[in-house]
């Protein structure tokens, strides 16, 4: 079996010289023979794809079923936000444990008999999902050279696309034909299959010289604690501000200020703290490209969930589609976006240029979101399908080309650390991609509620409950004068939600122009490649 540890000629010697060194170095290598691609390699890749399917389903399957879940469990005010945010905030055995945790969380969610149990289950799921997202990228980084990772991530993306494509439709069909609990129970057989496949195929090298106690000491417990506490504090303020309490209330201002101060404190601790392995090592952000890509990763992941969670509200509360048909209506997001992501990843591997992909992608994403703000109750199917396709192709172009750009300026030895940091930024964006549009949406509903002549209906939608009642079954149950008024309120509130989204996507497009095009390494240097299971020896030089 060939050696997995190949010294890269573009290996930078210092953080401050990362970009300069990478730019002037010419890598010469046979791109087809620098790492092994055997049966186990493909088994691992497929296993990672099936694992990713878990996260893909749970990212989208609840978007069409959320109003029914919220109503059945009697979640009040802005608590529905925590069904999603609890999910986000929260190598071999690590990977297996991660998948097992996610599967356990799915079982808890399916058996939930109240809102607290559901949120607890989603938190457990979130722990597993966060690990799934990170470990997939880390494992691929340890098996495939940077320049070629796009081609193999395209395989994982193809399987991921199945989940995101079918998720909304499956969620809609489930709540119409059976109980919403199967939205979560469906993960049990998938998780079990992923566990078996990865257990059999995933055998990789690891550092045998470091004890478990030494490894645990390297975990940035303080940094993680500060960050999680700060995030939860700010999210509480955003979720309840303007709904349960006025924005001027001390119950909103105190957690908001403490949370923002916590972010500042987290930054200081990462730079000057005493953790052996900071959760966000400052050296990873020593270049202009890394900083821009991290900002744009945050913006892109936020915008993805911006659309995923609020476009279904348009279809159900404005166009009056049922949950199942809403699942069909959002299919263009995946049918166009995921193939677009795979094609752009392959193009990145072929030409090694990420800057044009980023600019064009964000520009198209901004255009598509802007067009969403023009949709109304009379918009044709061709129109909303075309608008979604434009946004989806743009989002897809940057979906999986951000990580290679973030990894390019740092040394090969820092690939795992950079992958973990990048995945954290992406997940952090997911949290805000639900919380921020929810705040905008709730505040717009409050502003526009005076249009509704029926005081009882008006009161139902206030206090952060509009998302809960954003279903065709509720709207069509109202008499026609009131029904039209409610539709207009939902329509115009969503217009503002998407208009703000345009500004975020536009900012990302502008920032991408300032990225530096750094050649992507075509050689692999890692301690954690595939283990030669036949001989039991590590693949090291």
């Amino acid at each position: 079996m060939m050696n997995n540890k190949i010294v890269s000629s573009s290996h930078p010697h210092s953080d401050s010289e990362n970009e300069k060194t990478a730019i002037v170095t010419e890598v010469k290598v046979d791109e087809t023979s620098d790492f092994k691609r055997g049966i186990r390699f493909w088994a691992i890749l497929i296993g990672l794809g099936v694992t990713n399917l878990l996260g893909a389903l749970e990212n989208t399957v609840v978007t069409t079923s959320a109003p029914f879940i919220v109503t059945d469990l009697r979640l009040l005010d802005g608590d529905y936000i925590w069904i999603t945010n609890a999910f986000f905030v929260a190598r071999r055995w690590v990977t297996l444990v991660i998948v097992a945790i996610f599967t356990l969380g799915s079982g808890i969610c399916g058996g939930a008999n109240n809102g607290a149990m559901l949120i607890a289950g989603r938190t457990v799921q979130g722990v597993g999902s966060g690990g799934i997202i990170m470990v997939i990228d880390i494992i691929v980084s340890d098996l495939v050279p940077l320049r070629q990772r796009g081609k193999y991530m395209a395989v994982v993306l193809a399987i991921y696309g199945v989940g995101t494509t079918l998720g909304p439709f499956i969620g809609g069909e489930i709540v119409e034909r059976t109980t919403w609990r199967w939205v979560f129970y469906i993960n049990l057989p998938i998780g079990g299959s992923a566990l078996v496949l990865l257990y059999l195929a995933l055998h990789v090298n690891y550092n045998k010289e470091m004890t478990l106690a030494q490894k645990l000491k390297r975990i940035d417990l303080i940094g993680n604690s500060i960050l999680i506490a700060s995030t939860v504090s700010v999210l509480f303020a955003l979720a309840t501000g303007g709904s349960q309490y006025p924005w001027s209330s001390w119950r909103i201002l105190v957690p908001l200020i403490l949370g923002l101060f916590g972010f500042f404190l987290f930054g200081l601790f990462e730079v000057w703290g005493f953790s052996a392995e900071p959760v966000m090592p400052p050296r990873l952000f020593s270049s202009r490209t890394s900083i821009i890509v991290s900002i744009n990763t945050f913006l892109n992941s936020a915008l993805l969930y911006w659309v995923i969670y609020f476009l279904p509200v348009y279809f159900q509360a404005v166009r009056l589609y049922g949950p199942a048909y809403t699942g069909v209506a959002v299919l263009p997001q995946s049918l166009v976006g995921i193939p677009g992501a795979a094609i752009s990843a392959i193009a990145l591997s072929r030409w090694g240029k990420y800057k044009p992909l980023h600019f064009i992608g964000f520009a198209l994403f901004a255009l598509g979101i802007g067009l969403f703000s023009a949709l109304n109750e009379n918009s044709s199917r061709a129109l909303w399908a075309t608008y979604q396709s434009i946004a989806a192709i743009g989002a897809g172009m940057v979906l999986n080309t951000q990580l290679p750009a973030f990894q390019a300026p740092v040394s090969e030895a820092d690939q795992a650390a950079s992958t973990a940091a990048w995945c954290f930024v992406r997940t952090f964006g997911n949290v805000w991609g639900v919380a921020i549009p929810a705040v905008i949406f709730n505040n717009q509903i409050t502003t526009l509620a005076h249009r509704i002549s029926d005081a009882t209906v008006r009161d139902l939608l206030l206090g952060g409950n509009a998302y809960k009642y954003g279903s065709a079954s509720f709207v069509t149950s109202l008499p026609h004068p009131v029904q039209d008024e409610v539709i207009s309120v939902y329509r115009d509130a969503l217009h503002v939600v998407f208009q703000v989204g345009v500004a975020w996507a536009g900012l990302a497009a502008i920032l991408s122009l300032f990225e530096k095009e750094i050649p992507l390494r075509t050689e692999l240097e890692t301690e954690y490649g595939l283990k030669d299971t036949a001989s039991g020896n590590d693949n090291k030089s």
Side-chain angles (χ1 to χ4, degrees), residues 35-46:
F35 68 103
K36 186 173 180 64
R37 291 167 292 182
I39 294 177
R40 276 202 303 125
F41 173 84
W42 290 109
I44 291 172
L45 207 63
I46 299 300

mmCIF file with all atom_site columns, all heavy atoms in Angstrom, residues 35-46:
data_model
loop_
_atom_site.group_PDB
_atom_site.id
_atom_site.type_symbol
_atom_site.label_atom_id
_atom_site.label_alt_id
_atom_site.label_comp_id
_atom_site.label_asym_id
_atom_site.label_entity_id
_atom_site.label_seq_id
_atom_site.pdbx_PDB_ins_code
_atom_site.Cartn_x
_atom_site.Cartn_y
_atom_site.Cartn_z
_atom_site.occupancy
_atom_site.B_iso_or_equiv
_atom_site.pdbx_formal_charge
_atom_site.auth_seq_id
_atom_site.auth_comp_id
_atom_site.auth_asym_id
_atom_site.auth_atom_id
_atom_site.pdbx_PDB_model_num
ATOM 1   N N   . PHE A 1 35 ? -2.637  9.312  -4.088 1.00 0.00 ? 35 PHE A N   1
ATOM 2   C CA  . PHE A 1 35 ? -3.283  8.716  -2.934 1.00 0.00 ? 35 PHE A CA  1
ATOM 3   C C   . PHE A 1 35 ? -4.090  7.508  -3.403 1.00 0.00 ? 35 PHE A C   1
ATOM 4   O O   . PHE A 1 35 ? -4.397  7.365  -4.579 1.00 0.00 ? 35 PHE A O   1
ATOM 5   C CB  . PHE A 1 35 ? -4.189  9.723  -2.220 1.00 0.00 ? 35 PHE A CB  1
ATOM 6   C CG  . PHE A 1 35 ? -5.407  10.129 -3.003 1.00 0.00 ? 35 PHE A CG  1
ATOM 7   C CD1 . PHE A 1 35 ? -6.645  9.610  -2.681 1.00 0.00 ? 35 PHE A CD1 1
ATOM 8   C CD2 . PHE A 1 35 ? -5.319  11.034 -4.051 1.00 0.00 ? 35 PHE A CD2 1
ATOM 9   C CE1 . PHE A 1 35 ? -7.777  9.976  -3.394 1.00 0.00 ? 35 PHE A CE1 1
ATOM 10  C CE2 . PHE A 1 35 ? -6.447  11.397 -4.759 1.00 0.00 ? 35 PHE A CE2 1
ATOM 11  C CZ  . PHE A 1 35 ? -7.670  10.871 -4.433 1.00 0.00 ? 35 PHE A CZ  1
ATOM 12  N N   . LYS A 1 36 ? -4.376  6.636  -2.457 1.00 0.00 ? 36 LYS A N   1
ATOM 13  C CA  . LYS A 1 36 ? -5.010  5.365  -2.811 1.00 0.00 ? 36 LYS A CA  1
ATOM 14  C C   . LYS A 1 36 ? -6.524  5.485  -2.860 1.00 0.00 ? 36 LYS A C   1
ATOM 15  O O   . LYS A 1 36 ? -7.129  6.086  -2.001 1.00 0.00 ? 36 LYS A O   1
ATOM 16  C CB  . LYS A 1 36 ? -4.612  4.291  -1.790 1.00 0.00 ? 36 LYS A CB  1
ATOM 17  C CG  . LYS A 1 36 ? -5.114  2.895  -2.162 1.00 0.00 ? 36 LYS A CG  1
ATOM 18  C CD  . LYS A 1 36 ? -4.539  1.873  -1.220 1.00 0.00 ? 36 LYS A CD  1
ATOM 19  C CE  . LYS A 1 36 ? -5.023  0.469  -1.583 1.00 0.00 ? 36 LYS A CE  1
ATOM 20  N NZ  . LYS A 1 36 ? -4.556  0.059  -2.904 1.00 0.00 ? 36 LYS A NZ  1
ATOM 21  N N   . ARG A 1 37 ? -7.118  4.918  -3.913 1.00 0.00 ? 37 ARG A N   1
ATOM 22  C CA  . ARG A 1 37 ? -8.568  4.904  -4.063 1.00 0.00 ? 37 ARG A CA  1
ATOM 23  C C   . ARG A 1 37 ? -9.019  3.467  -4.297 1.00 0.00 ? 37 ARG A C   1
ATOM 24  O O   . ARG A 1 37 ? -9.261  3.057  -5.424 1.00 0.00 ? 37 ARG A O   1
ATOM 25  C CB  . ARG A 1 37 ? -8.991  5.786  -5.234 1.00 0.00 ? 37 ARG A CB  1
ATOM 26  C CG  . ARG A 1 37 ? -8.774  7.261  -5.003 1.00 0.00 ? 37 ARG A CG  1
ATOM 27  C CD  . ARG A 1 37 ? -8.914  8.042  -6.269 1.00 0.00 ? 37 ARG A CD  1
ATOM 28  N NE  . ARG A 1 37 ? -7.827  7.732  -7.203 1.00 0.00 ? 37 ARG A NE  1
ATOM 29  C CZ  . ARG A 1 37 ? -7.680  8.308  -8.388 1.00 0.00 ? 37 ARG A CZ  1
ATOM 30  N NH1 . ARG A 1 37 ? -8.538  9.207  -8.789 1.00 0.00 ? 37 ARG A NH1 1
ATOM 31  N NH2 . ARG A 1 37 ? -6.677  7.971  -9.172 1.00 0.00 ? 37 ARG A NH2 1
ATOM 32  N N   . GLY A 1 38 ? -9.113  2.714  -3.205 1.00 0.00 ? 38 GLY A N   1
ATOM 33  C CA  . GLY A 1 38 ? -9.533  1.331  -3.304 1.00 0.00 ? 38 GLY A CA  1
ATOM 34  C C   . GLY A 1 38 ? -10.975 1.162  -2.875 1.00 0.00 ? 38 GLY A C   1
ATOM 35  O O   . GLY A 1 38 ? -11.723 2.131  -2.729 1.00 0.00 ? 38 GLY A O   1
ATOM 36  N N   . ILE A 1 39 ? -11.354 -0.095 -2.658 1.00 0.00 ? 39 ILE A N   1
ATOM 37  C CA  . ILE A 1 39 ? -12.733 -0.378 -2.274 1.00 0.00 ? 39 ILE A CA  1
ATOM 38  C C   . ILE A 1 39 ? -13.073 0.287  -0.946 1.00 0.00 ? 39 ILE A C   1
ATOM 39  O O   . ILE A 1 39 ? -14.154 0.857  -0.769 1.00 0.00 ? 39 ILE A O   1
ATOM 40  C CB  . ILE A 1 39 ? -12.947 -1.912 -2.179 1.00 0.00 ? 39 ILE A CB  1
ATOM 41  C CG1 . ILE A 1 39 ? -12.808 -2.544 -3.562 1.00 0.00 ? 39 ILE A CG1 1
ATOM 42  C CG2 . ILE A 1 39 ? -14.322 -2.216 -1.574 1.00 0.00 ? 39 ILE A CG2 1
ATOM 43  C CD1 . ILE A 1 39 ? -12.927 -4.058 -3.565 1.00 0.00 ? 39 ILE A CD1 1
ATOM 44  N N   . ARG A 1 40 ? -12.146 0.233  0.019  1.00 0.00 ? 40 ARG A N   1
ATOM 45  C CA  . ARG A 1 40 ? -12.426 0.841  1.327  1.00 0.00 ? 40 ARG A CA  1
ATOM 46  C C   . ARG A 1 40 ? -12.560 2.345  1.220  1.00 0.00 ? 40 ARG A C   1
ATOM 47  O O   . ARG A 1 40 ? -13.350 2.960  1.938  1.00 0.00 ? 40 ARG A O   1
ATOM 48  C CB  . ARG A 1 40 ? -11.328 0.482  2.331  1.00 0.00 ? 40 ARG A CB  1
ATOM 49  C CG  . ARG A 1 40 ? -11.546 -0.869 2.980  1.00 0.00 ? 40 ARG A CG  1
ATOM 50  C CD  . ARG A 1 40 ? -10.823 -0.999 4.299  1.00 0.00 ? 40 ARG A CD  1
ATOM 51  N NE  . ARG A 1 40 ? -9.404  -0.765 4.165  1.00 0.00 ? 40 ARG A NE  1
ATOM 52  C CZ  . ARG A 1 40 ? -8.734  0.137  4.882  1.00 0.00 ? 40 ARG A CZ  1
ATOM 53  N NH1 . ARG A 1 40 ? -9.347  0.888  5.754  1.00 0.00 ? 40 ARG A NH1 1
ATOM 54  N NH2 . ARG A 1 40 ? -7.433  0.287  4.719  1.00 0.00 ? 40 ARG A NH2 1
ATOM 55  N N   . PHE A 1 41 ? -11.770 2.960  0.340  1.00 0.00 ? 41 PHE A N   1
ATOM 56  C CA  . PHE A 1 41 ? -11.873 4.413  0.147  1.00 0.00 ? 41 PHE A CA  1
ATOM 57  C C   . PHE A 1 41 ? -13.290 4.783  -0.286 1.00 0.00 ? 41 PHE A C   1
ATOM 58  O O   . PHE A 1 41 ? -13.918 5.684  0.259  1.00 0.00 ? 41 PHE A O   1
ATOM 59  C CB  . PHE A 1 41 ? -10.859 4.871  -0.903 1.00 0.00 ? 41 PHE A CB  1
ATOM 60  C CG  . PHE A 1 41 ? -11.010 6.317  -1.299 1.00 0.00 ? 41 PHE A CG  1
ATOM 61  C CD1 . PHE A 1 41 ? -10.427 7.323  -0.542 1.00 0.00 ? 41 PHE A CD1 1
ATOM 62  C CD2 . PHE A 1 41 ? -11.744 6.670  -2.422 1.00 0.00 ? 41 PHE A CD2 1
ATOM 63  C CE1 . PHE A 1 41 ? -10.574 8.658  -0.900 1.00 0.00 ? 41 PHE A CE1 1
ATOM 64  C CE2 . PHE A 1 41 ? -11.898 7.997  -2.785 1.00 0.00 ? 41 PHE A CE2 1
ATOM 65  C CZ  . PHE A 1 41 ? -11.308 8.997  -2.021 1.00 0.00 ? 41 PHE A CZ  1
ATOM 66  N N   . TRP A 1 42 ? -13.811 4.045  -1.288 1.00 0.00 ? 42 TRP A N   1
ATOM 67  C CA  . TRP A 1 42 ? -15.150 4.354  -1.778 1.00 0.00 ? 42 TRP A CA  1
ATOM 68  C C   . TRP A 1 42 ? -16.218 3.960  -0.768 1.00 0.00 ? 42 TRP A C   1
ATOM 69  O O   . TRP A 1 42 ? -17.258 4.623  -0.667 1.00 0.00 ? 42 TRP A O   1
ATOM 70  C CB  . TRP A 1 42 ? -15.384 3.642  -3.115 1.00 0.00 ? 42 TRP A CB  1
ATOM 71  C CG  . TRP A 1 42 ? -14.564 4.238  -4.212 1.00 0.00 ? 42 TRP A CG  1
ATOM 72  C CD1 . TRP A 1 42 ? -13.484 3.694  -4.839 1.00 0.00 ? 42 TRP A CD1 1
ATOM 73  C CD2 . TRP A 1 42 ? -14.750 5.527  -4.803 1.00 0.00 ? 42 TRP A CD2 1
ATOM 74  N NE1 . TRP A 1 42 ? -12.975 4.553  -5.781 1.00 0.00 ? 42 TRP A NE1 1
ATOM 75  C CE2 . TRP A 1 42 ? -13.743 5.692  -5.777 1.00 0.00 ? 42 TRP A CE2 1
ATOM 76  C CE3 . TRP A 1 42 ? -15.661 6.566  -4.612 1.00 0.00 ? 42 TRP A CE3 1
ATOM 77  C CZ2 . TRP A 1 42 ? -13.621 6.846  -6.555 1.00 0.00 ? 42 TRP A CZ2 1
ATOM 78  C CZ3 . TRP A 1 42 ? -15.552 7.717  -5.372 1.00 0.00 ? 42 TRP A CZ3 1
ATOM 79  C CH2 . TRP A 1 42 ? -14.542 7.855  -6.332 1.00 0.00 ? 42 TRP A CH2 1
ATOM 80  N N   . ALA A 1 43 ? -15.972 2.905  -0.001 1.00 0.00 ? 43 ALA A N   1
ATOM 81  C CA  . ALA A 1 43 ? -16.932 2.513  1.042  1.00 0.00 ? 43 ALA A CA  1
ATOM 82  C C   . ALA A 1 43 ? -17.034 3.596  2.104  1.00 0.00 ? 43 ALA A C   1
ATOM 83  O O   . ALA A 1 43 ? -18.125 3.926  2.586  1.00 0.00 ? 43 ALA A O   1
ATOM 84  C CB  . ALA A 1 43 ? -16.507 1.188  1.672  1.00 0.00 ? 43 ALA A CB  1
ATOM 85  N N   . ILE A 1 44 ? -15.880 4.163  2.471  1.00 0.00 ? 44 ILE A N   1
ATOM 86  C CA  . ILE A 1 44 ? -15.875 5.256  3.454  1.00 0.00 ? 44 ILE A CA  1
ATOM 87  C C   . ILE A 1 44 ? -16.616 6.461  2.897  1.00 0.00 ? 44 ILE A C   1
ATOM 88  O O   . ILE A 1 44 ? -17.422 7.100  3.584  1.00 0.00 ? 44 ILE A O   1
ATOM 89  C CB  . ILE A 1 44 ? -14.434 5.634  3.832  1.00 0.00 ? 44 ILE A CB  1
ATOM 90  C CG1 . ILE A 1 44 ? -13.781 4.508  4.651  1.00 0.00 ? 44 ILE A CG1 1
ATOM 91  C CG2 . ILE A 1 44 ? -14.406 6.935  4.631  1.00 0.00 ? 44 ILE A CG2 1
ATOM 92  C CD1 . ILE A 1 44 ? -12.301 4.710  4.891  1.00 0.00 ? 44 ILE A CD1 1
ATOM 93  N N   . LEU A 1 45 ? -16.349 6.784  1.618  1.00 0.00 ? 45 LEU A N   1
ATOM 94  C CA  . LEU A 1 45 ? -16.983 7.948  1.001  1.00 0.00 ? 45 LEU A CA  1
ATOM 95  C C   . LEU A 1 45 ? -18.501 7.789  0.965  1.00 0.00 ? 45 LEU A C   1
ATOM 96  O O   . LEU A 1 45 ? -19.252 8.721  1.282  1.00 0.00 ? 45 LEU A O   1
ATOM 97  C CB  . LEU A 1 45 ? -16.428 8.143  -0.408 1.00 0.00 ? 45 LEU A CB  1
ATOM 98  C CG  . LEU A 1 45 ? -16.459 9.568  -0.956 1.00 0.00 ? 45 LEU A CG  1
ATOM 99  C CD1 . LEU A 1 45 ? -15.592 10.485 -0.104 1.00 0.00 ? 45 LEU A CD1 1
ATOM 100 C CD2 . LEU A 1 45 ? -15.970 9.594  -2.399 1.00 0.00 ? 45 LEU A CD2 1
ATOM 101 N N   . ILE A 1 46 ? -18.961 6.581  0.583  1.00 0.00 ? 46 ILE A N   1
ATOM 102 C CA  . ILE A 1 46 ? -20.406 6.327  0.567  1.00 0.00 ? 46 ILE A CA  1
ATOM 103 C C   . ILE A 1 46 ? -20.961 6.356  1.986  1.00 0.00 ? 46 ILE A C   1
ATOM 104 O O   . ILE A 1 46 ? -22.052 6.892  2.245  1.00 0.00 ? 46 ILE A O   1
ATOM 105 C CB  . ILE A 1 46 ? -20.704 4.966  -0.095 1.00 0.00 ? 46 ILE A CB  1
ATOM 106 C CG1 . ILE A 1 46 ? -20.222 4.958  -1.555 1.00 0.00 ? 46 ILE A CG1 1
ATOM 107 C CG2 . ILE A 1 46 ? -22.196 4.666  -0.026 1.00 0.00 ? 46 ILE A CG2 1
ATOM 108 C CD1 . ILE A 1 46 ? -20.866 6.012  -2.417 1.00 0.00 ? 46 ILE A CD1 1
#
